Amino acid sequence: MSKASKRSFQAYLEMMKLSGVDELLLPSERHVVEEIVETASSPAPAVSSSKDELLVLSETVKNCSLCGELAQTRKQTVFGAGHAKAKLMFVGEAPGYDEDQQGLPFVGKAGQLLTKMIEAISLKRQEVFICNILKCRPPGNRNPLPDEVINCQPFLWQQIALIQPKIICALGKFAAQTILKTTTSISALRGQIHDYQGIKVICTFHPSYLLRNPADKKKAWEDLKQVYRELQLS
Ligand code: URA
């Protein structure tokens, strides 16, 4: 790069900074890790390396064709989004239509409710990490098949290992049963703190279920308060 173009690029960066933009992400990265904006002067090697490794993992997910039907019918994979070192991780079931279109988790109606749930415990979406058990949309939003869960779960285990959250909030039966390796119902799993490799797991109803059964929002609120309390202790 010539000196002149370096100077004009620096001026452009200064201008972006003044208008509140602290970090520029490549378009392909933006999907994956909407990291909390850090100031240019704060070195955060742990976050950066975890973010880089998440980006590498997201490329592997992008190229996955283990579930033939899902690979053929998806528009794109939905890796997950949020902070690379989030203390709190939400895990849902699988992308739906909107998520498949946008390549981002929980962006449809259920996602709007999840955003409210996150904000109810004084957090922002960018401060947590949100992903699903399956990284591809099952056609017609059918339930994930057992083989699909088996194929896809190593990606989740790697995401958890890289992010190292303090708390995992499992949204609904598929997430809770997969993470805890159990067939116990979501109603029975709620209200206790479970363990996944030393990480606390709190189970609650899936936002889509709550949209259909608003009376259970009260119980979900109890679960969120438990998440909040555990976050304060961590
Ligand atoms: N339901 C899920 O389980 N995950 C999404 O990303 C959207 C809806």
Side-chain angles (χ1 to χ4, degrees), residues 78 92-96 99 104-107 110-111 131-132 206 208:
V78 180
E93 180 179 317
E99 291 75 23
L104 290 167
F106 281 98
V107 287
C131 63
N132 287 298
H206 192 285
S208 300

Side-chain angles (χ1 to χ4, degrees), residues 46-180:
V47 175
S48 303
S49 71
S50 162
K51 181 180 157 187
D52 289 347
E53 290 182 63
L54 282 170
L55 285 168
V56 170
L57 182 60
S58 79
E59 283 303 313
T60 309
V61 167
K62 221 180 258 177
N63 295 318
C64 180
S65 57
L66 280 177
C67 308
E69 187 189 15
L70 301 193
Q72 277 163 21
T73 54
R74 73 186 178 215
K75 180 179 174 199
Q76 56 194 316
T77 54
V78 180
F79 180 72
H83 198 284
K85 276 286 166 215
K87 279 188 166 188
L88 175 59
M89 189 163 172
F90 286 92
V91 183
E93 180 179 317
Y97 174 82
D98 295 303
E99 291 75 23
D100 179 61
Q101 290 296 309
Q102 296 185 41
L104 290 167
F106 281 98
V107 287
K109 283 217 171 88
Q112 286 165 20
L113 179 55
L114 178 61
T115 302
K116 284 187 191 160
M117 291 162 74
I118 293 167
E119 289 172 354
I121 50 170
S122 305
L123 288 170
K124 298 187 186 115
R125 273 180 76 113
Q126 307 96 286
E127 293 176 290
V128 303
F129 196 89
I130 307 172
C131 63
N132 287 298
I133 297 291
L134 294 195
K135 311 305 186 206
C136 295
R137 179 191 184 215
N141 294 349
R142 64 160 168 74
N143 286 338
L145 301 175
D147 277 355
E148 292 167 351
V149 174
I150 289 168
N151 287 340
C152 215
Q153 61 187 6
F155 295 134
L156 177 65
W157 309 146
Q158 289 175 69
Q159 287 176 310
I160 296 172
L162 290 171
I163 296 166
Q164 295 177 8
K166 299 285 179 210
I167 297 163
I168 296 172
C169 182
L171 301 166
K173 165 183 138 170
F174 276 95
Q177 294 183 343
T178 304
I179 294 166
L180 299 174

